[in-house]
Amino acid sequence: MREWEKYIRKVEPYVPGEQPQAEKVIKLNTNENPYPPAPGVEKLLHEMDADVFRKYPDPACGCLVKALADRYGVSEKEVFTGVGSDDVLATAFLTFFNSGKPLLFPDVSYSFYKVWAGLFGIPYETQVLDEEFRIRPEDYKKENGGIIFPNPNAPTGLFLELNAVEDIVSANQDSVVIVDEAYIDFGGKSALSLTKKYDNLLVVQTFSKSRSMAGMRIGFAIGDQKLIQAMNNVKYSYNSYTMNTPSLLLGTEALKDEAYFQTAVSKIMETREWSKECFRKLGFTFPDSMANFLFVSHPACPAETLFEALKERHIYVRYFREERLADHLRVTVGTRKEMEELFRFLEIYLKENGYQN
Ligand code: PMP
């Protein structure tokens, strides 16, 4: 080993879902939105002039921060934006979890939390979800250096009622509690209203799912201005020009079309509920998801076998070879047509292979 190799930071990186480059695939593996963003977004994209390339972007992300503050009824000082919610979350980890006490999060949740904790040297303790994959608020009433959980949780899709979220936040006023609401727009109730009452609560959301803009990388956090100021201080100590100008402009534009947003989200929720019925008829079980994905398990057919069979048919879903997850598949809710194709395949496959009578 060369001397310098000894000093390379040892990290175990996050493994993102596959982005297959072939054209004809049904892509249900990374929780993208199957519908395009609001029509105004595409129109603006075509009208952009070359200055968006030539000049640095606004480091304060002013137009987007203002649009978000207006949309969510908060002041601009209570909004932080970043390159996808991954960037926002990483900044929050770096900013808030420095007490040396363990960060608490569920054993089954977004697998990036462990990775950031590892990268930044933050000790953590995972809290075991109950048999039905539910978060138990009482597990979060112990000494800690911070708390984070997704709501709805990923990859289960289960939503934790707002009174339980408040129970956790109010019991931990000496720590920062982050609620990662990447999937909140698909029927859950946001904890944003609680940020007015609790200065230790940070709510993080994204344009990647409900606003169909995963490729633009837009995420944001809302919380007390002291939290936001602290995150900005860290951001400006690291990289001041985070979001590129097209993302800033297109994200701002997306927020103007509330009607389109509501319609697209309703379509996904409708398809999700219909998909639950179809999975049920085929014998699958799953937690009652409030997100844009379902976490399904078949009593007879091993998840990994099914994952491979689907992939062979160019249907991509997500499989996690991890404890408690390995007999499940996470299936993003696509268009009705995509889901119909999925169920047509599943029906035949399960019968032909003796997994179903
Ligand atoms: N939080 C959760 C729970 C997620 O599933 C994801 C998507 N991988 C993210 C955050 C990050 O999404 P993005 O960076 O695209 O906003």
Side-chain angles (χ1 to χ4, degrees), residues 144-178:
N144 66 74
I147 292 172
I148 182 164
F149 57 90
N151 199 27
N153 198 4
T156 63
L158 280 176
F159 175 68
L160 183 67
E161 291 301 330
L162 218 48
N163 55 0
V165 173
E166 179 164 9
D167 185 17
I168 294 173
V169 177
S170 72
N172 287 285
Q173 296 192 42
D174 292 337
S175 308
V176 172
V177 178
I178 301 179

Side-chain angles (χ1 to χ4, degrees), residues 14 84-86 89 110 113 150 154 180 182-183 206 208-209 217-218:
Y14 174 75
S85 52
D86 280 343
L89 290 165
Y110 187 29
Y113 301 158
D180 175 357
Y183 302 101
T206 177
S208 297
K209 324 288 178 181
R217 314 302 300 124
I218 306 171

Side-chain angles (χ1 to χ4, degrees), residues 50-270:
D51 263 4
V52 303
F53 303 109
R54 192 180 62 75
K55 288 164 71 182
Y56 279 112
D58 170 12
C61 306
C63 62
L64 182 61
V65 165
K66 175 162 190 335
L68 284 165
D70 291 347
R71 166 68 172 75
Y72 292 102
V74 296
S75 92
E76 290 170 47
K77 289 188 169 152
E78 293 166 313
V79 181
F80 178 88
T81 55
V83 184
S85 52
D86 280 343
D87 180 42
V88 176
L89 290 165
T91 305
F93 271 55
L94 204 47
T95 308
F96 299 121
F97 302 144
N98 297 302
S99 66
K101 294 181 204 162
L103 171 67
L104 308 182
F105 52 85
D107 62 338
V108 174
S109 80
Y110 187 29
S111 44
F112 225 138
Y113 301 158
K114 266 184 198 164
V115 177
W116 287 314
L119 178 63
F120 302 139
I122 300 165
Y124 64 87
E125 262 174 31
T126 55
Q127 306 302 303
V128 180
L129 296 179
D130 74 9
E131 289 287 284
E132 292 176 325
F133 289 122
R134 294 195 176 275
I135 288 175
R136 295 178 296 206
E138 55 279 20
D139 293 343
Y140 297 83
K141 295 178 185 171
K142 57 176 75 153
E143 192 170 46
N144 66 74
I147 292 172
I148 182 164
F149 57 90
N151 199 27
N153 198 4
T156 63
L158 280 176
F159 175 68
L160 183 67
E161 291 301 330
L162 218 48
N163 55 0
V165 173
E166 179 164 9
D167 185 17
I168 294 173
V169 177
S170 72
N172 287 285
Q173 296 192 42
D174 292 337
S175 308
V176 172
V177 178
I178 301 179
V179 184
D180 175 357
E181 293 190 337
Y183 302 101
I184 196 67
D185 294 324
F186 301 104
K189 209 159 179 260
S190 174
L192 274 173
S193 58
L194 297 175
T195 60
K196 305 240 185 258
K197 197 164 160 194
Y198 299 96
D199 64 1
N200 62 318
L201 169 64
L202 189 78
V203 174
V204 177
Q205 295 191 9
T206 177
F207 281 46
S208 297
K209 324 288 178 181
S210 54
R211 295 191 187 272
S212 309
M213 294 177 82
M216 281 284 109
R217 314 302 300 124
I218 306 171
F220 63 97
I222 291 179
D224 186 85
Q225 48 176 292
K226 268 197 218 149
L227 299 179
I228 301 304
Q229 181 63 53
M231 287 177 77
N232 272 316
N233 289 345
V234 167
K235 166 187 150 168
Y236 283 105
S237 309
Y238 177 71
N239 177 11
S240 42
Y241 299 114
T242 49
M243 287 184 74
N244 64 67
T245 304
S247 294
L248 285 172
L249 297 176
L250 297 170
T252 304
E253 184 64 30
L255 288 170
K256 292 182 187 159
D257 200 338
E258 186 66 23
Y260 180 88
F261 167 70
Q262 294 297 349
T263 309
V265 160
S266 308
K267 274 199 286 193
I268 291 169
M269 287 162 62
E270 219 175 275

